[in-house]
Amino acid sequence: MADTKREIERKYEGPPAGGDAPLPDLTDVPGVSGVIDKGVAELDATYYDTADQRLATASLTLRRRTGGDDAGWHLKLPVSEGVRDEIRAPLSDTVPEDLTALVRSRIREAELVPVVRLLSARDIRHLVDASGTLLAEVSVDRVRAERLSGGAGSAEWTEIEVELADDGDPAFLDKVEKKLRKAGIKRSASASKLAKALDDTAPRKPEKAEKAEKAGKAETAGKPGKAGKAGTTGKVADVSKATTTAAKPEPPDSTPRTAGDHILTYARAQRDAIVELDPAVRRDVPDSVHRMRVATRRLRSTFRSYGKILDRTVTDPIGVELKWLAAELGVDRDQEVLTEHLTTALDDLPSDLVTGPVQARLSTWSGARRSGSRQHLIAVLDGKRYLDLLTTLDTLVAGPPLREAASKKPEKVIAKAVRKDFEKVADLVGEALELPPGSERDLAMHDARKKAKRTRYAAEAATPALGDPAADLVKSMKSLQTLLGDHQDSVMVRGALRELATEAHEAGENAFTYGVLYGRAEQRAAAVEAELPGEWEAIEDKGAV
């Protein structure tokens, strides 16, 4: 079974392999009372990746290591600069299924193969405070790298690694670094040992080919970036013929200039978010399901809002798949949010209004639904339909189905699309306000909420091009979305309370408390309905972009 460790470390360059690697006297570092020599550990690590190095491209590392006190399989996922989550699994002859699943969104159906072997002699020192508590581990690693696929090169180097102790203060690393810098020791230019090994052992191109490549890059460096070949209506990328391999991310060539540039930049960011959040969703990291679901909605909304830029005959079928994925993610997320609302409402209730085992029933009800949805969600992420969707998105951003308007200036094309969405929100809010309280108004307000989300996402995509007017609209739509969301939450809570009350009654329990909670939820909905006219009037006065 895999477990997780948050790793906060910094790497520094040592002298050439075979030379001395003296460290300064680290007892001078503020807070350090002693430096304990822990001896030398011999480490043997084999790193795995796809043949085209998809994990390395995404700054992920997967290795099987023997030696030291943490032998086993290690998957390292980047969190921020110098911070990674290390997922560990016991030693085995093949890559553990748990770890393979965590890189599925990157590798798809590709095989994981050994790419590099690193043999390290690690000279370890512990920095401790006056009480003997570990502050950080400092190691001097003498490394030999051997290429196992894609070449047969080797390299040697020495590096210094400083890893913060569990639950330590990251500011302590600054103190250590200050001491190292004074001794002439500088940060490593490579993000990891694997990155350096891949670079140092890569087959070298013939001199002529290398010069030609550099000349080609220099020639295109100053040219304006293009999102694709605009003005090609009817000549769109056939994403239905996507292969089963994952395309590497394609960063924009330069600063976005055209309408197509801006929308593709936003769409690409949502594709990246879905892929990057996959491991977190599988690990049940808090808020990860919600964030992944939002990325799918943003992307689908982009396709629908900007149909003048991206051909909808191509994007609509992809939108169907994104809607399916959002719904699957929502099974878990909606239950999570609903449970939070019910728990908070129960906690706010005076104790004399709580009769019967309400908390126990709520926990049982929620747990049964969450455990089932959780298993289903993992099956979805392992399924062919989801993986095909990821590949289709790769193909779309690599060869976007741009229409003629994509080549035009964003101030005109994008602003028009945002205003059109805003007008639809206005119509839906107006319809909801004309209806009497009841189920029809509930549905109308829910529709207005969904359209407000779409308009918000359209304005988000427009903000880099349109500036403050679009940013202001994002805030307005977020405020409206929140208000209408509170109303929809009340609708969902009341439905759950009816279900819980029925279960309690059938079990012979007192259902009084569920009725009290239902009444309070009705009051919250009425308060939102009373607030909506004033909120919408203020938004309308500001207008769209």
Side-chain angles (χ1 to χ4, degrees):
M1 188 68 178
D3 56 41
T4 304
K5 178 182 183 297
R6 177 60 57 87
E7 178 183 85
I8 303 176
E9 66 179 17
R10 296 180 186 177
K11 297 180 183 295
Y12 302 87
E13 294 183 0
D20 294 331
L23 289 170
D25 183 3
L26 296 176
T27 56
D28 291 343
V29 175
V32 175
S33 294
V35 179
I36 303 174
D37 188 343
K38 304 297 290 186
V40 177
E42 299 293 338
L43 308 177
D44 186 345
T46 299
Y47 288 77
Y48 286 71
D49 204 336
T50 59
D52 53 356
Q53 297 178 13
R54 297 177 198 175
L55 300 187
T57 299
S59 299
L60 277 65
T61 61
L62 174 62
R63 73 186 179 202
R64 180 186 188 275
R65 189 168 79 180
T66 58
D69 58 4
D70 64 344
W73 286 90
H74 307 147
L75 171 64
K76 298 193 179 188
L77 306 173
V79 176
S80 58
E81 184 178 359
V83 182
R84 296 186 292 184
D85 278 344
E86 183 177 272
I87 319 298
R88 298 176 175 179
L91 279 175
S92 61
D93 293 335
T94 58
V95 182
E97 286 296 328
D98 288 351
L99 302 190
T100 301
L102 292 176
V103 297
R104 183 75 68 202
S105 66
R106 299 288 183 182
I107 67 172
R108 314 291 162 80
E109 300 301 324
E111 182 184 5
L112 289 168
V113 297
V115 292
V116 166
R117 183 185 184 191
L118 296 184
L119 301 171
S120 304
R122 170 164 290 183
D123 191 357
I124 305 169
R125 295 166 178 79
H126 282 182
L127 307 186
V128 298
D129 63 13
S131 67
T133 300
L134 179 65
L135 299 172
E137 180 177 285
V138 180
S139 62
V140 179
D141 295 346
R142 291 178 173 82
V143 185
R144 175 176 173 78
E146 300 174 353
R147 191 86 171 201
L148 301 178
S149 65
S154 64
E156 294 185 6
W157 71 90
T158 300
E159 71 177 34
I160 297 166
E161 188 176 289
V162 183
E163 182 175 349
L164 189 69
D166 293 346
D167 301 320
D169 182 359
F172 177 70
L173 294 182
D174 294 331
K175 299 175 182 178
V176 177
E177 180 163 311
K178 184 177 181 180
K179 184 66 176 179
L180 295 177
R181 282 205 317 266
K182 286 183 178 179
I185 299 172
K186 61 182 181 179
R187 286 275 195 107
S188 174
S190 298
S192 66
K193 287 184 176 67
L194 175 61
K196 181 172 178 58
L198 289 172
D199 184 57
D200 289 357
T201 65
R204 297 303 172 190
K205 296 179 181 179
E207 186 175 348
K208 288 184 179 180
E210 192 168 348
K211 286 182 178 180
E213 183 177 331
K214 289 181 179 179
K217 288 180 179 179
E219 182 181 351
T220 59
K223 294 183 178 180
K226 294 183 179 180
K229 294 182 179 179
T232 56
T233 304
K235 297 179 181 179
V236 298
D238 184 1
V239 294
S240 66
K241 296 180 180 179
T243 63
T244 57
T245 58
K248 292 183 180 180
E250 328 72 8
D253 294 333
S254 65
T255 302
R257 290 177 173 81
T258 66
D261 287 337
H262 282 279
I263 299 311
L264 279 175
T265 296
Y266 187 77
R268 186 178 289 111
Q270 307 320 312
R271 184 281 308 267
D272 291 348
I274 293 171
V275 173
E276 291 165 5
L277 284 166
D278 179 288
V281 171
R282 292 174 185 271
R283 294 164 56 206
D284 203 14
V285 173
D287 205 39
S288 59
V289 170
H290 172 62
R291 291 165 60 203
M292 189 175 186
R293 192 183 188 192
V294 168
T296 66
R297 285 175 165 171
R298 280 177 168 147
L299 189 52
R300 180 168 174 257
S301 292
T302 299
F303 293 159
R304 299 179 69 186
S305 295
Y306 294 105
K308 294 292 185 182
I309 295 173
L310 294 170
D311 193 323
R312 288 192 59 173
T313 62
V314 175
T315 61
D316 277 358
I318 304 174
V320 171
E321 295 304 287
L322 288 168
K323 183 178 181 180
W324 161 77
L325 178 57
E328 295 290 4
L329 292 165
V331 172
D332 205 35
R333 172 62 181 172
D334 290 346
Q335 182 62 40
E336 179 184 330
V337 171
L338 187 55
T339 300
E340 288 174 0
H341 283 305
L342 289 168
T343 301
T344 300
L346 184 59
D347 290 344
D348 291 343
L349 209 60
S351 59
D352 60 341
L353 295 181
V354 180
T355 59
V358 181
Q359 182 61 64
R361 178 160 294 284
L362 174 58
S363 297
T364 301
W365 174 83
S366 174
R369 283 155 182 78
R370 178 160 172 76
S371 62
S373 63
R374 188 71 204 146
Q375 294 170 3
H376 175 73
L377 179 56
I378 296 302
V380 167
L381 297 183
D382 285 333
K384 186 176 185 300
R385 185 174 182 179
Y386 167 70
L387 297 177
D388 285 349
L389 172 58
L390 296 185
T391 300
T392 300
L393 294 177
D394 289 341
T395 306
L396 177 81
V397 298
L402 298 176
R403 300 185 65 189
E404 185 176 354
S407 63
K408 296 180 179 179
K409 292 183 178 180
E411 292 80 2
K412 181 179 180 180
V413 179
I414 293 179
K416 184 177 180 180
V418 174
R419 286 195 295 270
K420 184 177 180 181
D421 277 349
F422 182 80
E423 290 168 1
K424 291 178 180 177
V425 174
D427 290 343
L428 288 171
V429 171
E431 291 175 12
L433 292 175
E434 291 176 358
L435 291 169
S439 59
E440 285 190 33
R441 174 180 270 196
D442 290 345
L443 289 172
M445 291 179 72
H446 184 46
D447 287 341
R449 173 179 176 246
K450 290 188 290 185
K451 190 63 68 176
K453 276 187 182 181
R454 175 174 159 181
T455 306
R456 172 188 167 189
Y457 298 151
E460 283 180 353
T463 298
L466 306 182
D468 289 343
D472 290 342
L473 182 58
V474 171
K475 293 178 183 177
S476 294
M477 290 297 99
K478 186 175 182 180
S479 177
L480 177 63
Q481 177 188 329
T482 299
L483 185 65
L484 295 174
D486 289 343
H487 186 275
Q488 179 62 16
D489 288 341
S490 170
V491 173
M492 298 301 294
V493 164
R494 282 178 279 163
L497 286 169
R498 283 193 294 269
E499 183 179 337
L500 284 163
T502 299
E503 291 181 3
H505 177 73
E506 291 175 350
E509 299 166 6
N510 192 322
F512 169 77
T513 300
Y514 304 106
V516 174
L517 292 173
Y518 188 98
R520 290 192 167 198
E522 271 191 324
Q523 290 177 346
R524 285 195 297 275
V528 170
E529 292 177 15
E531 186 180 347
L532 180 59
E535 175 78 13
W536 178 245
E537 183 178 353
I539 291 173
E540 269 198 314
D541 287 343
K542 293 179 182 178
V545 296

